[in-house]
Amino acid sequence: MSSIFMPIVLQLFAAVFTKFSVACEMEAEECIFCNIANGKTDTVLEMESDDFAIFKDIKPAAQHHYLIVPKEHYDSLKTLNESHIKMVSLMEEHLKNFFVSKGICTADALYGFHFPPFISVKHLHMHGIAPRSQMPFFSRMVFKPSTAWFKTTQEALAYLRTKIM
């Protein structure tokens, strides 16, 4: 993509995600992902444990696009710190195990988080997307690792290691 258009694309992403983020600012008891994770909606939980729930993304970026959310409410990756490293690692581990149980290739999968203000729901959620190689252009931009708006699990863990409790 031409470097001339990149600032325009970034402004578009910021406007879209900021709009969704502001619209979704709510108390934890009103949080749609809290309600989904705790079985208070019609959303099918593909996997559930005491701590996490996995369900399909309503706007899939590839054939397989799932979210894993902690049942405890956290606004975003930005609100976490070094003490949450184990939780973030477990989120990826559970999502990978879920993919394996469904026969989804983990070698061509992408796992990560959107970084505020580029989040659509203010509840920590990790995306698991496969096959990554078949994502359309726009999805590749929205879920592009090492950007201001999307961090892979490894990038998220590195970010948390720099934060002090």
Side-chain angles (χ1 to χ4, degrees), residues 56 60-66 104 129-131 134-136:
K56 288 183 179 179
Q63 181 181 1
H64 306 287
H65 187 165
Y66 294 89
I104 300 168
I129 305 168
Q134 295 179 14
M135 292 169 60

Side-chain angles (χ1 to χ4, degrees), residues 61-111:
Q63 181 181 1
H64 306 287
H65 187 165
Y66 294 89
L67 302 177
I68 183 167
V69 300
K71 289 189 173 181
E72 185 175 339
H73 184 88
Y74 300 94
D75 278 356
S76 70
L77 188 62
K78 204 169 185 176
T79 63
L80 304 181
N81 60 44
E82 192 176 26
S83 71
H84 297 99
I85 287 175
K86 183 175 180 181
M87 179 184 71
V88 169
S89 296
L90 283 173
M91 289 173 75
E92 183 181 54
E93 181 181 325
H94 284 301
L95 204 46
K96 283 183 177 178
N97 290 339
F98 170 75
F99 275 24
V100 168
S101 76
K102 293 288 189 183
I104 300 168
C105 178
T106 59
D108 190 21
L110 175 64
Y111 306 95

